[in-house]
Amino acid sequence: MGKAAKTWWGQKFIAALEDFTDSGRLQRGRSYSTDNRIKHWRVYDGKVEANIRGNVNPYFGVYKEPTYKVSVQLGHLSDAQWQTIIQKLTQRASFIAKLLLDEIPENIETVFAETGVHLLPNSYKDFKVACDCPDYEVPCKHIAGVCYRLAGVFDQDPFLLFEMRGLAPEKLLQELAKSPLGKVLSDAKSGAEAGLVPVDSYYTRPIPADLPQSMAAKHFWQGRQPLPGSIEPAQAAIIPAMLVKKGGDFPGFWQKQSSFIDVMEDFYLRMRKGVLKNV
């Protein structure tokens, strides 16, 4: 079965669903995750609500094309649990850096385990699902379709996973930004959002200056003030390749299974080697 999610957290979300769902039902469910089947999609307060276009099925007494209402939720953690988890997350620079670049660290579950809980679902007990179709099995193919679609949404918006666990993404970002590293990363991200400034020319235009009436030959050739003896080295960017990294491993335009950041890093590495060869 092909991958419905590209990121490790999206794949683990689907793995939990596959552990307690019939493979044939899952196969049919994947066909219900497309735009052709999903007529309405809404995420509100950590709950996914969708209207799914069903099929005519005389066996169940369905003789007209139906529309089924599906909802998917994950169990919420308590405020006290989130407070403890956030405190631990903000003490680790690696967690802060990854989360503020729209990625979920692969070892994040260690922090949740210390509190006796987990972020990603482990079993059917973590899911709260409903569908008004006549199929008595849970999850039905419509619920499976919504879950497959949701895994793809997690790829683009990992903070939705926190929201479905009961933590507002804005609150998590605010807490992460309170640390010194978090403040630097937040400022860098907000700086990268600066709008375009219109200019009159594609090139730097010279600024005219009034010439003196007379000038000594020495001043003409050497200038009135001596040139600096050394040039200060350019300051490296706080976050290298911020424009590339801010979109995460799988930005909206990237449809491949491989990470966009990894591809760009490999591309620039090969470009740099090629340039150095010709120097």
Side-chain angles (χ1 to χ4, degrees):
M1 189 179 292
K3 292 182 179 179
K6 299 175 182 177
T7 58
W8 74 265
W9 56 87
Q11 291 170 12
K12 190 165 182 181
F13 175 79
I14 289 299
L17 179 72
E18 292 175 342
D19 280 344
F20 62 90
T21 308
D22 175 70
S23 59
R25 190 177 295 272
L26 285 172
Q27 185 66 43
R28 295 191 297 273
R30 293 194 63 166
S31 65
Y32 284 83
S33 65
T34 62
D35 290 339
N36 185 45
R37 288 288 187 176
I38 298 178
K39 300 171 66 174
H40 171 75
W41 178 275
R42 179 180 183 234
V43 180
Y44 177 74
D45 198 22
K47 180 181 180 181
V48 177
E49 296 176 343
N51 292 345
I52 306 295
R53 185 170 64 84
N55 289 328
V56 173
N57 191 336
Y59 179 80
F60 286 110
V62 180
Y63 298 97
K64 287 196 327 183
E65 182 180 277
T67 298
Y68 299 119
K69 294 181 180 180
V70 179
S71 66
V72 175
Q73 292 177 276
L74 296 178
H76 285 194
L77 305 184
S78 67
D79 291 341
Q81 288 171 330
W82 273 122
Q83 187 175 359
T84 302
I85 291 167
I86 289 174
Q87 185 180 10
K88 292 179 181 294
L89 288 176
T90 54
Q91 292 172 353
R92 299 276 294 274
S94 59
F95 288 159
I96 295 172
K98 284 278 189 180
L99 289 168
L100 286 177
L101 289 174
D102 296 329
E103 296 179 35
I104 298 181
E106 291 192 25
N107 57 340
I108 196 172
E109 289 289 10
T110 58
V111 173
F112 285 79
E114 292 172 4
T115 315
V117 295
H118 47 271
L119 174 63
L120 288 151
N122 284 346
S123 68
Y124 72 93
K125 294 180 181 179
D126 294 310
F127 289 86
K128 297 180 181 179
V129 297
C131 179
D132 61 357
C133 74
D135 191 348
Y136 61 89
E137 288 286 347
V138 178
C140 64
K141 57 189 177 184
H142 311 110
I143 292 173
V146 171
C147 287
Y148 276 119
R149 181 62 168 261
L150 183 57
V153 176
F154 285 151
D155 283 348
Q156 308 298 329
D157 183 12
F159 283 96
L160 177 58
L161 185 56
F162 291 88
E163 183 178 351
M164 294 191 72
R165 282 299 202 179
L167 177 68
E170 297 79 14
K171 182 177 180 181
L172 176 59
L173 291 171
Q174 288 172 2
E175 293 297 327
L176 293 173
K178 288 180 181 178
S179 65
L181 175 61
K183 186 177 186 307
V184 170
L185 290 171
S186 296
D187 291 345
K189 285 188 72 173
S190 61
E193 295 284 354
L196 299 177
V197 179
V199 294
D200 297 329
S201 173
Y202 289 114
Y203 309 98
T204 303
R205 291 183 174 179
I207 301 175
D210 295 331
L211 294 176
Q213 296 295 327
S214 61
M215 180 182 294
K218 179 180 178 181
H219 292 159
F220 177 81
W221 292 108
Q222 298 181 2
R224 292 182 178 273
Q225 295 181 354
L227 296 173
S230 61
I231 300 176
E232 295 183 5
Q235 185 177 1
I238 298 173
I239 306 173
M242 180 51 148
L243 187 61
V244 173
K245 291 180 178 177
K246 68 179 294 187
D249 285 306
F250 300 97
F253 62 85
W254 189 250
Q255 301 301 320
K256 297 181 181 293
Q257 292 291 338
S258 55
S259 164
F260 175 69
I261 294 176
D262 290 345
V263 170
M264 292 302 292
E265 285 180 347
D266 178 65
F267 171 76
Y268 280 108
L269 179 62
R270 287 187 284 112
M271 286 289 294
R272 184 170 60 183
K273 287 181 178 178
V275 170
L276 292 175
K277 264 186 193 177
N278 298 325
V279 172

